[in-house]
């Protein structure tokens, strides 16, 4: 085993790339050298790591010489092209795009749920969808205790899920509204400030979006539960970072609220914040910048047999992306 590793970050100038640098530094990951990669237009810029400026290099086919671990957060098209090149050069790739998630030979990993799947990698490991990751942090411990059958969910997704340009667009639209002027949307089809869009990702023929199907498809793979069913409506909300999900879950075995709260309170990477009478429940403003997800509003679902309803929030850029990727690297 090496004591220090040569690391590459593809997409280092993006929102997730910046968080990857922060998380690697904060968790004191053993790094000998770090290479920041991005598109040609970002080459020559600098990012900061451990107080030192790191020059950004253009992502090319020659970027992965002597790299041990390559984090990819540069979009699906670049992952499809360059991740196999990085793997063939000898790096272990941890990819944040959806490109390889459902490939049978690629582990899809949430370290608190299926850490042993990492051992099956062939040079490529997929990071899960951000909304699925946040929701599964609460669904999986309940599944282990009571056996989940199906869930109905609605997401409340921050603009950070669309990258740095979307964060800037929300800020500009808020400022424009305060000055009583219009700011045309560019990232989204409609204004996001003071609005909600029931539209995340592209629509499929079924009427669902690709994002909405990821909780079921990725949940089946991560939990090793091929019959798991999830009906989801994904909604973009004017929040800068941290996703929330309202979940109604049906279980195979009877479950009480007290039993569920006991299970959730002990789950790794999850905090139980469930004092509604004291106005304490998970909120994006509170969870932003924090590693753990939070769950609350736990109650019996009155419309489902053996059902529970609950609300879970998590930082999309951390547990939904950068933190999870670094945790995978720590498992390696």
């Amino acid at each position: 085993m090496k004591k220090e590793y040569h690391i590459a970050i593809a997409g280092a100038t993006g929102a997730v790339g910046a968080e990857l640098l922060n998380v690697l530094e904060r968790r004191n990951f053993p790094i000998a050298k770090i290479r920041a990669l991005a598109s040609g237009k970002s080459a020559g810029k600098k990012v900061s790591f451990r107080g030192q400026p790191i020059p950004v290099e253009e992502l090319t086919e020659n970027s992965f010489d002597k790299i041990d671990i390559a984090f990819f957060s540069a979009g699906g098209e670049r992952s499809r092209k360059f991740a196999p090149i990085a793997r063939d050069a000898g790096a272990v790739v941890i990819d944040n795009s959806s490109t390889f998630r459902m490939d049978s030979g690629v582990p899809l990993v949430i370290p608190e749920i299926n850490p042993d799947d990492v051992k099956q990698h062939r040079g490529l490991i997929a990071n899960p969808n951000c909304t699925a990751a946040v929701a599964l942090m609460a669904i999986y411990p309940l599944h282990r205790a009571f056996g989940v059958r199906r869930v109905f969910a609605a997401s409340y997704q921050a603009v950070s899920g669309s990258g740095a340009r979307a964060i800037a667009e929300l800020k500009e639209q808020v400022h424009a509204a305060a000055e009583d002027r219009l700011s045309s949307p560019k990232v989204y089809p409609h204004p996001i400030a003071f609005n909600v869009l029931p539209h995340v990702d592209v629509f499929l023929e079924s009427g669902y979006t690709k994002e909405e199907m990821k909780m079921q498809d990725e949940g089946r793979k991560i939990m090793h539960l091929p019959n798991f069913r999830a009906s989801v409506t994904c909604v973009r909300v004017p929040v800068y970072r941290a996703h929330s999900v309202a979940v109604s879950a049906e279980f195979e075995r009877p479950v009480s609220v007290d039993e569920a709260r006991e299970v959730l309170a002990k789950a790794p990477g999850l905090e139980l914040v469930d004092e509604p009478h004291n106005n304490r429940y998970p909120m994006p403003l509170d969870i932003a910048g924090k590693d753990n997800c939070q769950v609350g509003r736990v109650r019996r679902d009155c419309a489902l047999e053996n059902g529970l309803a609950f609300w879970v929030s998590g930082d999309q850029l951390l547990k939904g992306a950068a933190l999870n990727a670094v945790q995978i690297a720590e498992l390696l």
Side-chain angles (χ1 to χ4, degrees), residues 4-23:
E4 292 186 324
Y5 298 86
H6 290 244
I7 302 295
I9 298 178
T13 57
V16 175
E19 286 298 333
L20 277 165
L21 290 162
N22 291 336
V23 174

Side-chain angles (χ1 to χ4, degrees), residues 25-62:
E25 180 174 337
R26 176 163 53 84
R27 293 174 75 91
N28 199 28
F29 195 87
I31 293 175
K33 185 177 181 180
I34 194 160
R35 186 174 295 166
L37 305 170
S39 65
K41 65 180 180 181
S42 295
K45 294 182 179 180
K46 287 182 170 60
V47 295
S48 179
F49 184 71
R50 293 176 178 166
Q52 300 296 320
I54 306 293
V56 176
E57 306 171 28
E58 183 177 0
L59 173 62
T60 71
E61 295 179 358
N62 300 314

Side-chain angles (χ1 to χ4, degrees), residues 190-252:
H190 307 283
I192 185 60
F194 312 104
N195 200 12
V196 296
L197 309 180
H199 178 185
V200 181
D201 213 326
V202 299
F203 285 99
L204 305 171
E205 288 187 7
S206 64
Y208 286 91
T209 67
K210 287 177 67 176
E211 182 86 353
E212 289 164 349
M213 296 309 301
K214 289 173 183 176
M215 190 180 298
Q216 174 173 284
D217 296 340
E218 296 184 23
R220 288 175 172 179
K221 186 172 181 178
I222 292 167
M223 295 191 292
H224 300 284
L225 195 62
N227 294 323
F228 173 67
R229 290 178 292 164
S231 177
V232 183
T233 300
C234 289
V235 183
R236 190 73 68 187
V237 296
V239 170
Y240 286 119
R241 62 186 286 174
H243 290 354
S244 301
V245 189
V247 181
S248 289
E250 186 174 61
F251 298 92
E252 296 173 355

Side-chain angles (χ1 to χ4, degrees), residues 145-159:
F146 310 108
V148 69
R149 295 182 57 201
R150 57 179 177 166
V151 302
F152 302 89
S155 70
Y156 300 72
Q157 297 184 217
V159 296

